[in-house]
Amino acid sequence: MSPLAERMRPVTLDDYIGQEHLVGQGAILRKSIETGVLPSLIFWGPPGVGKTTLAGIIAKQLRRPFYVLSAISSGVKDVRDVIDRAQKYAGELKEVPGNPILFIDEIHRFSKSQQDALLPYVEEGVLTLVGATTRSGLLTAPLLSRFAIKSRLEYYPASTLKKIVLRAAAILQVPISEDAAGEIARRSRGTPRIANGLLRRVRDFAQVLNDGNIDIGITQHALKALNVDEHGLDDMDNRILSTIIEKFKGGPVGITTIATAVGEEAGTLEEVYEPFLIQEGFIKRTPRGREATDKAYIHLGKNPFQGNEKPTLFD
């Protein structure tokens, strides 16, 4: 991660915006942090909504040794080796009280045997395990039961994302209007990571075309150039919808078939793209597969009517 992106990441609970059900006054996670009594916990939700950020805040505020592992890129074969390294790291920081915090991103990607290897360490209190996942259903039941706090992170409303954009703009020291911040927030798919990324791209356009000032005009121009439409959908989102409608007559169609048609991994579609498309009502999941909704047809400028049927959007 670049130093710039790192500077934009909140480092305390007071800096953290949103997810009030977890970190608001009186919320269970805030109470655990404030009292210093932190059990193992699991965060689940779509990518980019603050799971890793929250884990870092927890470790920083508790002043615990913090060990990070990604189940995607680590190539770890034996989780016990990782835990041994985490314990060694904690031993080298003896002046820091408390067990180390081991944060495992995308923990569901560990095999059953790897997940089982974590159980005794969690039970014996050797470390505090903080897991993050986009697919909690792939965790083994024994491991899931060991997490005393199970917290879902939700997509952010545009009003909250606007606050995040304004905060990030202040860190970047770039002038931005309220309506420009709102426009970026509205097209950010409910995701702070995307909002901050779009802000940086819009800033680049503003520096070249608008003396560095981010107003509504340069924002709309930049987002159009970046192929981010009014709903926040990008090229891949629209390819997915077009594929379901044009190649498979609106569905139902299996996720693996869609993935092959658009040239992307099925897991990426399920974890990154599908949750937002479902939440916004562009596709729906059925026992037989994915189907495009009338809203998807209308979004792409296609006729949602089938025979003499009226589209359910207008029922």
Side-chain angles (χ1 to χ4, degrees), residues 12-23:
T12 69
L13 283 181
D14 291 336
D15 293 332
Y16 193 89
I17 299 172
Q19 308 296 346
E20 289 295 313
H21 63 294
L22 298 181
V23 300

Side-chain angles (χ1 to χ4, degrees), residues 93-143:
L93 298 173
K94 293 181 180 178
E95 72 278 6
V96 180
N99 293 332
I101 293 176
L102 175 61
F103 173 68
I104 303 180
D105 194 19
E106 298 298 340
I107 191 172
H108 67 271
R109 291 180 181 260
F110 277 157
S111 67
K112 181 180 183 301
S113 61
Q114 289 174 322
Q115 292 185 36
D116 289 345
L118 292 166
L119 299 178
Y121 298 92
V122 175
E123 291 174 341
E124 295 166 13
V126 173
L127 52 79
T128 298
L129 176 62
V130 178
T133 178
T134 53
R135 302 178 68 185
S136 60
L138 296 183
L139 292 175
T140 64
L143 180 59

